[in-house]
Amino acid sequence: MTVLAGMPASDDRRLGEDLVIDVTVPDRDPLIGFRTSAYVLPSVGSNGVPLTTVNVEEARLTLLRINDRNLVQQVRDGYMLRLFTSYEQNQVVWDLGEEVWTGSVDIASVPNRRVVTSVPVQEIIPEIEPGVYVLTAEASALSLAYWEERATQWLIVSDIGLTTYAGADGLTVAARSLDSARPIAGLALTLYARNNEALGSAVTADDGIARFAPGLMRGEAGLAPTLLTAPGTD
């Protein structure tokens, strides 16, 4: 970089001659992450989960599953949608679910540019089971301490899309296909409380709508409504 002669200073003095300065712009620090904390992966026609990286040539991945019996605990304790440390990954393996797969994916890295790589989750899951999947990623070239957070993607693999409306008349649930956007009839739903007790069940009608009584939404403490589940999704 050349600063030209005559460049004024704050005290009105001027540079007497050109000044040449060598400036080095370092590469960007390696970056790895997912676009959002939660992701619904359609069971049909999906291209995978997008992983965004900068200056990373290989990513180390771990896919976990938290079974449906432990989801209420995750919601109640505030763990849902959080970034995972190595300790929390191990907690899932030992107490809450299982490790489904671990491996790596090559990145077509371009120096200092963001690169998006599709992780083919459906190809590495041998069989979709009830529950929520958690995909963690870290750069293979870096070594993270066990307390450091990994890039974390919470995801559900399903064709069922649920929308809920809570009001004075209770809880209304609308179920639609993520593939066709058409209402899903005959879908069994269960509403759970904070203490993991089933508060009630309902089945969607031909219009994809199901309703839960107002009293079920008025519970407090352990009986407060916390989680709604349906077959194949949560």
Side-chain angles (χ1 to χ4, degrees):
M1 181 175 68
T2 301
V3 183
L4 298 178
M7 180 74 177
S10 59
D11 60 1
D12 292 331
R13 289 187 296 175
R14 294 181 178 273
L15 192 64
E17 59 183 20
D18 291 352
L19 176 64
V20 179
I21 303 173
D22 291 332
V23 178
T24 300
V25 179
D27 288 334
R28 298 173 63 182
D29 291 335
L31 176 148
I32 185 167
F34 297 99
R35 291 179 177 177
T36 62
S37 57
Y39 193 77
V40 177
L41 189 65
S43 56
V44 178
S46 171
N47 292 323
V49 176
L51 177 67
T52 301
T53 58
V54 176
N55 291 338
V56 173
E57 296 183 351
E58 183 184 68
R60 187 164 57 248
L61 304 171
T62 300
L63 184 65
L64 309 168
R65 184 181 72 89
I66 300 175
N67 66 51
D68 52 344
R69 298 296 298 273
N70 286 314
L71 288 178
V72 169
Q73 176 185 340
Q74 293 295 292
V75 174
R76 181 189 63 212
D77 296 342
Y79 283 102
M80 289 291 289
L81 307 185
R82 283 181 50 180
L83 299 179
F84 268 18
T85 64
S86 177
Y87 171 81
E88 288 162 332
Q89 287 183 194
N90 291 334
Q91 187 180 30
V92 171
V93 175
W94 287 103
D95 299 324
L96 303 173
E98 62 177 321
E99 181 180 280
V100 177
W101 175 85
T102 184
S104 61
V105 60
D106 293 329
I107 308 294
S109 181
V110 179
N112 301 311
R113 298 288 184 90
R114 285 180 177 265
V115 174
V116 178
T117 303
S118 178
V119 180
V121 171
Q122 288 167 302
E123 295 180 13
I124 60 181
I125 299 178
E127 183 178 350
I128 303 300
E129 297 184 30
V132 170
Y133 290 88
V134 182
L135 181 66
T136 64
E138 54 187 294
S140 298
L142 301 179
S143 179
L144 296 179
Y146 73 90
W147 66 82
E148 292 185 275
E149 294 176 335
R150 277 69 175 160
T152 306
Q153 177 75 84
W154 293 74
L155 61 97
I156 297 172
V157 184
S158 177
D159 183 47
I160 303 172
L162 298 179
T163 305
T164 59
Y165 306 89
D169 59 345
L171 180 69
T172 300
V173 182
R176 289 186 176 272
S177 165
L178 297 177
D179 181 44
S180 66
R182 294 176 179 173
I184 300 176
L187 182 65
L189 306 171
T190 303
L191 183 65
Y192 289 92
R194 283 174 57 87
N195 61 9
N196 217 4
E197 180 177 341
L199 293 175
S201 300
V203 178
T204 57
D206 290 341
D207 58 0
I209 301 296
R211 292 179 172 83
F212 291 86
L216 299 179
M217 301 300 294
R218 296 174 186 153
E220 298 179 352
L223 292 177
T226 301
L227 182 72
L228 177 72
T229 67
T233 189
D234 297 270

